[in-house]
Amino acid sequence: MLSLIFHKKKGLRLQTDHPVPQHGYDEALIKISLAGVCNTDIEITKGYMDFQGILGHEFVGVVVKCREKGLMGLRVVGEINIGCEKCSFCRNRMKNHCPERSVAGILNKDGIFAEYAVLPIDNLHTIPDSVSDEEAVFVEPLAAAFEIIRQVDVIPDNRVCVLGDGKLGLLVGQVMSLIGCEIIVVGKHEEKLAILKNKGIRTVLSSDFNEKGFDIVIDCTGSPDGIGIALDIIRPGGRVIIKTTTSKKRGIDLNHVVVNELSIIGSRCGPFPVAIKALEERKIDVLPLISKVYPLNEGIQAFEHAAIRGGLKVLLSM
Amino acid sequence: MLSLIFHKKKGLRLQTDHPVPQHGYDEALIKISLAGVCNTDIEITKGYMDFQGILGHEFVGVVVKCREKGLMGLRVVGEINIGCEKCSFCRNRMKNHCPERSVAGILNKDGIFAEYAVLPIDNLHTIPDSVSDEEAVFVEPLAAAFEIIRQVDVIPDNRVCVLGDGKLGLLVGQVMSLIGCEIIVVGKHEEKLAILKNKGIRTVLSSDFNEKGFDIVIDCTGSPDGIGIALDIIRPGGRVIIKTTTSKKRGIDLNHVVVNELSIIGSRCGPFPVAIKALEERKIDVLPLISKVYPLNEGIQAFEHAAIRGGLKVLLSM
């Protein structure tokens, strides 16, 4: 099958003759329909996570082989963390944190930039007919946006600042606005901020931004500088949520964190059912976030496009 | 009056002829009885906070001048943050975080290593007769220890690790053990850990320590290395509380924080009434934490003693 592979020495390349993966008893073989290129994929090609193999973890596809007959032929999205199912994290519905986990396209398991992929049946979520493939491919990052309000109590009184108008920033901005809190999204691209502005969400260009004293700041910049800005504009006692992972190391002033009793909260993968429901109920607009759809055999070009800072979502069609 | 002063160029020195401070309408003049040398005082002499003036912020004393007649002659301890009383933080009982605040002996206000000091009446708390001066001088750091359970929900099921067997570590260890959670205190000094061991608290020498997976880790090491150890032994989804401020910058791996969805929570000053009550009810043993009492005119030697890493509490008697 055709697949898009990253190898530390050989770099990113298309492989036309990759064997179709075999599915185990509790797994399903999925024919991938559409996949999204995420900033994490780009960071991996720079060395993040030391991963090698088929890249990609945002997808929608159709189940083609699986022991659960009810799933056959259905459109699905899939959670990317695969736990050992034995440890205390797996037993407590925290398989995202299983120390023995693999993560599709990120850690010890091939991803989904390919014609077919295998995932555990338990990781799959079916997609309602009213949600298109182009929308469903956003379930994984949208779930990551919803993760914030699963981790942190947010009340309508809170003043919230989202840093970054990349794909995740635009999703997080929309999710936070659902709560009804005072929100501002700071970005560098007028045309991207306009997507939120059109939904009535307050936005500002970073060059014009000079507010401080936020209760909650969410770093979706994808840049090593994001955390410093967040710590500068948070109020004492406030909470900074970090979504950004970078291949570069970042230093922070921990004295400032202690003296101002700040909380810094790392945030990663989130609840798929919540994201699917939000799409079904038309609460979140994802279609304006699509920049371009490339066929998988133009995967290299798609990556080059996605790697341009300030771009929107690049999709791969299989 | 005699006072112990830090000056960036002249260093630490005794001044015999410092004028007795004047108290304003809402303030009290306090004759200091006993004061504690804190690690923050030592860090200030290395450049932390860029402070110059009379050092010191842990004390017990007697009110000698004040418009509130009921306070005259009473033994008091004092909160060290002085807010503007106008901003939203001051109005919301968060004067510790007032952006215009001064902090006795730390920021824009003389401290209490002197015969007399002035503090706002509102900052003072009277000490019950059953609590001795030697105990009362621990109210400020003990309140800082209680601050942790004001900031972070801790339940008896939690596995908690306290890093550091300095003064604060020994207080935090005792406070956390009140909750009944599984607790271990890690330190470098058998004789100091013995203080907790005698109270039935589990301790371990850092050289023998190899546990991981804690729900909560509290960095009381006072060392730039503490945070790295804390992040290494915390479980995914766990909370790291930082008490340590250092004059040295510290770097942390924020990818680790994001991927493992960790929370890092800065913690500073705490609730005085809770600390006084705990001393009154004999819940916390502070007397074994005293290393030596120096008269104020031996303040320089007291600082040299206190600066030895691994020492216990050095007090100054006025």
Side-chain angles (χ1 to χ4, degrees):
Chain A
M1 65 176 186
L2 188 61
S3 62
L4 189 58
I5 292 188
F6 176 69
H7 184 281
K8 272 187 276 181
K9 283 191 184 149
K10 297 179 192 164
L12 189 69
R13 66 200 164 91
L14 279 170
Q15 186 179 336
T16 53
D17 59 349
H18 196 290
V20 172
Q22 298 292 311
H23 68 292
Y25 181 72
D26 288 325
E27 294 177 323
L29 180 69
I30 302 150
K31 183 163 189 346
I32 307 295
S33 315
L34 199 62
V37 182
C38 166
N39 193 49
T40 304
D41 302 319
I42 310 286
E43 289 294 320
I44 286 172
T45 64
K46 296 179 192 165
Y48 176 59
M49 291 300 289
D50 227 18
F51 176 79
Q52 299 192 113
I54 300 177
L55 285 180
H57 56 273
E58 302 176 359
F59 76 96
V60 56
V62 174
V63 177
V64 290
K65 283 190 186 172
C66 159
R67 70 171 160 80
E68 276 201 19
K69 296 300 162 225
L71 269 180
M72 288 288 291
L74 293 189
R75 288 194 307 143
V76 292
V77 293
E79 299 191 43
I80 62 180
N81 292 274
I82 299 144
C84 70
E85 303 297 340
K86 289 170 201 148
C87 72
S88 64
F89 291 103
C90 288
R91 290 197 314 270
N92 289 298
R93 302 166 61 96
M94 286 178 69
K95 70 177 171 196
N96 289 1
H97 292 300
C98 167
E100 302 296 323
R101 74 180 175 278
S102 52
V103 187
I106 296 177
L107 179 68
N108 290 332
K109 181 176 167 60
D110 274 333
I112 53 72
F113 290 159
E115 291 175 86
Y116 295 92
V118 159
L119 275 177
I121 293 170
D122 275 354
N123 284 42
L124 304 181
H125 299 265
T126 56
I127 296 296
D129 290 342
S130 64
V131 176
S132 68
D133 278 358
E134 286 71 19
E135 292 169 319
V137 78
F138 283 92
V139 165
E140 200 277 339
L142 181 57
F146 274 108
E147 177 71 355
I148 295 168
I149 50 177
R150 195 166 71 167
Q151 291 178 284
V152 178
D153 290 326
V154 187
I155 54 171
D157 308 55
N158 287 144
R159 283 184 69 213
V160 177
C161 177
V162 179
L163 294 175
D165 57 5
K167 285 81 70 180
L168 191 59
L170 297 178
L171 293 175
V172 169
Q174 293 188 59
V175 166
M176 299 309 285
S177 81
L178 294 178
I179 297 169
C181 45
E182 189 190 322
I183 181 175
I184 187 163
V185 179
V186 186
K188 290 187 173 164
H189 312 89
E190 210 134 9
E191 69 287 1
K192 292 205 281 178
L193 293 173
I195 297 169
L196 298 181
K197 224 171 177 177
N198 291 340
K199 293 181 67 77
I201 296 170
R202 199 159 72 95
T203 64
V204 63
L205 280 172
S206 49
S207 50
D208 298 333
F209 180 57
N210 59 5
E211 295 177 40
K212 289 197 174 198
F214 293 94
D215 300 300
I216 295 174
V217 179
I218 307 166
D219 173 15
C220 304
T221 57
S223 150
D225 304 329
I227 182 71
I229 300 166
L231 291 173
D232 191 42
I233 62 173
I234 191 79
R235 73 158 170 84
R239 292 164 289 171
V240 171
I241 291 111
I242 337 178
K243 279 288 182 188
T244 298
T245 49
T246 61
S247 45
K248 256 195 199 165
K249 292 262 166 190
R250 289 163 282 176
I252 64 173
D253 179 356
L254 285 177
N255 289 345
H256 173 58
V257 173
V258 174
V259 169
N260 292 302
E261 297 196 312
L262 303 176
S263 296
I264 298 178
I265 300 152
S267 180
R268 192 169 47 112
C269 302
F272 273 46
V274 177
I276 295 169
K277 189 159 170 279
L279 289 174
E280 195 178 6
E281 294 174 352
R282 309 276 138 206
K283 282 184 177 158
I284 307 280
D285 265 352
V286 294
L287 297 182
L289 273 64
I290 299 173
S291 173
K292 191 168 174 185
V293 186
Y294 288 82
L296 179 58
N297 63 18
E298 292 177 17
I300 307 287
Q301 293 93 310
F303 254 70
E304 284 166 4
H305 183 160
I308 299 169
R309 280 200 69 81
L312 281 168
K313 183 61 93 185
V314 170
L315 300 180
L316 289 169
S317 169
M318 278 67 175
Chain B
M1 66 177 186
L2 188 61
S3 62
L4 189 58
I5 291 188
F6 176 69
H7 184 279
K8 272 186 277 182
K9 281 190 185 150
K10 297 179 190 163
L12 189 69
R13 66 202 164 89
L14 279 171
Q15 186 179 335
T16 53
D17 59 351
H18 196 290
V20 172
Q22 298 292 312
H23 67 292
Y25 180 72
D26 288 325
E27 295 179 321
L29 180 70
I30 302 149
K31 185 168 186 343
I32 306 294
S33 314
L34 199 63
V37 181
C38 166
N39 192 50
T40 303
D41 302 320
I42 309 286
E43 289 293 321
I44 286 173
T45 64
K46 296 177 191 167
Y48 176 59
M49 291 301 289
D50 227 20
F51 176 79
Q52 299 191 111
I54 300 177
L55 284 180
H57 56 273
E58 301 176 1
F59 76 95
V60 56
V62 174
V63 177
V64 289
K65 281 190 187 173
C66 158
R67 69 173 161 81
E68 276 202 18
K69 296 299 161 225
L71 269 180
M72 288 288 291
L74 292 190
R75 287 194 309 141
V76 292
V77 293
E79 298 191 44
I80 62 179
N81 291 276
I82 299 143
C84 69
E85 302 298 339
K86 288 171 205 151
C87 72
S88 65
F89 293 102
C90 288
R91 290 197 313 268
N92 288 299
R93 303 166 61 96
M94 284 178 72
K95 69 177 172 197
N96 289 1
H97 291 301
C98 167
E100 303 296 322
R101 73 183 176 275
S102 53
V103 187
I106 296 177
L107 178 68
N108 291 333
K109 181 176 167 60
D110 274 333
I112 53 72
F113 290 159
E115 289 175 270
Y116 295 91
V118 160
L119 274 177
I121 294 171
D122 274 354
N123 283 42
L124 303 181
H125 299 264
T126 56
I127 295 296
D129 291 343
S130 64
V131 176
S132 69
D133 278 358
E134 287 72 18
E135 291 168 321
V137 78
F138 282 92
V139 166
E140 199 278 337
L142 182 56
F146 274 108
E147 176 71 355
I148 296 168
I149 50 176
R150 197 165 69 163
Q151 292 177 282
V152 178
D153 290 326
V154 187
I155 55 171
D157 307 56
N158 286 144
R159 284 184 69 213
V160 177
C161 176
V162 179
L163 294 175
D165 58 4
K167 286 81 73 178
L168 190 58
L170 297 178
L171 293 175
V172 168
Q174 292 188 60
V175 166
M176 299 309 286
S177 81
L178 294 178
I179 297 170
C181 46
E182 189 189 322
I183 182 175
I184 186 162
V185 179
V186 185
K188 290 188 174 165
H189 312 89
E190 209 134 11
E191 68 287 3
K192 292 205 281 177
L193 293 174
I195 297 169
L196 298 181
K197 224 171 176 174
N198 291 340
K199 293 182 67 76
I201 296 169
R202 199 160 72 95
T203 64
V204 63
L205 281 171
S206 49
S207 51
D208 298 334
F209 180 57
N210 59 6
E211 293 177 40
K212 289 197 173 195
F214 293 94
D215 300 299
I216 294 173
V217 179
I218 306 167
D219 173 15
C220 304
T221 57
S223 150
D225 304 330
I227 181 70
I229 300 166
L231 290 174
D232 191 42
I233 63 173
I234 192 77
R235 73 156 168 87
R239 291 163 291 172
V240 171
I241 292 112
I242 337 177
K243 279 290 184 187
T244 297
T245 49
T246 61
S247 45
K248 255 195 201 168
K249 292 261 165 188
R250 290 164 281 176
I252 65 173
D253 180 355
L254 286 177
N255 288 346
H256 174 58
V257 173
V258 174
V259 170
N260 292 301
E261 297 197 312
L262 304 175
S263 296
I264 298 178
I265 300 152
S267 179
R268 193 169 46 114
C269 302
F272 274 46
V274 177
I276 294 169
K277 189 160 170 278
L279 289 174
E280 194 178 8
E281 293 174 353
R282 308 277 137 208
K283 282 184 177 157
I284 307 281
D285 264 353
V286 294
L287 296 181
L289 273 62
I290 298 173
S291 173
K292 192 168 173 184
V293 185
Y294 288 83
L296 179 57
N297 62 20
E298 293 177 17
I300 307 287
Q301 293 92 311
F303 254 70
E304 284 165 6
H305 183 160
I308 299 168
R309 280 201 67 82
L312 281 169
K313 183 60 92 184
V314 171
L315 300 180
L316 290 169
S317 170
M318 277 65 176

